[in-house]
Amino acid sequence: MLARFNDWLTRTLLILAALLAFLLCFLVVADVTGRVVFNSPVKGTPEIVSFSIVIICYLQAGFAIRSGGMLHVDTFVKRLPPGGQSLLDALGALVGMAFFILICYGSLDGALHAWTSGEYEGEGALRVPVWPARFVIILGTALAALSYLLKALQSIGLALRGMPPAPSASH
């Protein structure tokens, strides 16, 4: 049940990230056109683009893990018996989970500070609030950690049965 919810949520966030990237293309084209043709760029474009890239990356992290899209090298692992492969897969997932938990924990103070202080980026006509990107980092890293936990549990079950690692959960 939790795995299905996580799959649904990570797919939804992937679609949201793709939509944001698509809309960002129009902003960049409008900025370049305004700059070249009218000598008047769209104000705040650099700030919006920089925060949007962070948001897009972290919205996609959970899906990348669940779909098996994270980089892995299996030269050594393929030489092990199937149960050993699953055990190392579980160990790698636990290390990945710990990594994302550390990022999530390390981002909490910054996100709360950005929210309470009204922190923003940019000057003049357009000031972009920082807190949405900071909270997306927390959401993205928490979902990535959960995705790695689900992957580790699945791999441990397979290792106990002497089976090789399962193919990715989402396609």
Side-chain angles (χ1 to χ4, degrees):
M1 172 92 166
L2 182 60
R4 285 192 324 176
F5 175 73
N6 187 40
D7 286 344
W8 174 83
L9 185 57
T10 56
R11 283 179 190 262
T12 302
L13 293 177
L14 176 71
I15 292 167
L16 184 62
L19 180 63
L20 181 58
F22 181 70
L23 294 174
L24 208 56
C25 293
F26 290 105
L27 175 63
V28 171
V29 167
D31 183 60
V32 170
T33 302
R35 186 179 308 271
V36 173
V37 176
F38 304 110
N39 198 25
S40 179
V42 177
K43 295 184 182 351
T45 298
E47 292 85 4
I48 293 171
V49 169
S50 67
F51 282 113
S52 295
I53 289 171
V54 170
I55 289 171
I56 290 166
C57 288
Y58 280 96
L59 287 178
Q60 295 180 52
F63 184 81
I65 294 162
R66 290 297 289 166
S67 67
M70 298 299 273
L71 181 65
H72 64 278
V73 178
D74 59 1
T75 304
F76 170 72
V77 176
K78 289 295 182 190
R79 298 175 195 266
L80 296 175
Q85 292 176 19
S86 290
L87 192 60
L88 280 182
D89 192 49
L91 179 63
L94 291 172
V95 170
M97 182 183 77
F99 176 74
F100 279 104
I101 286 173
L102 287 172
I103 294 173
C104 186
Y105 178 75
S107 301
L108 285 172
D109 284 341
L112 292 174
H113 179 274
W115 173 265
T116 57
S117 68
E119 184 180 353
Y120 65 90
E121 186 74 25
E123 296 294 331
L126 183 66
R127 297 176 354 157
V128 180
V130 173
W131 65 265
R134 300 266 174 105
F135 280 102
V136 166
I137 291 171
I138 292 170
L139 172 68
T141 55
L143 281 173
L146 176 61
S147 295
Y148 269 131
L149 174 63
L150 294 171
K151 181 176 175 54
L153 293 174
Q154 180 184 30
S155 294
I156 289 169
L158 292 171
L160 293 174
R161 289 179 279 181
M163 298 174 65
S168 58
S170 303
H171 299 292

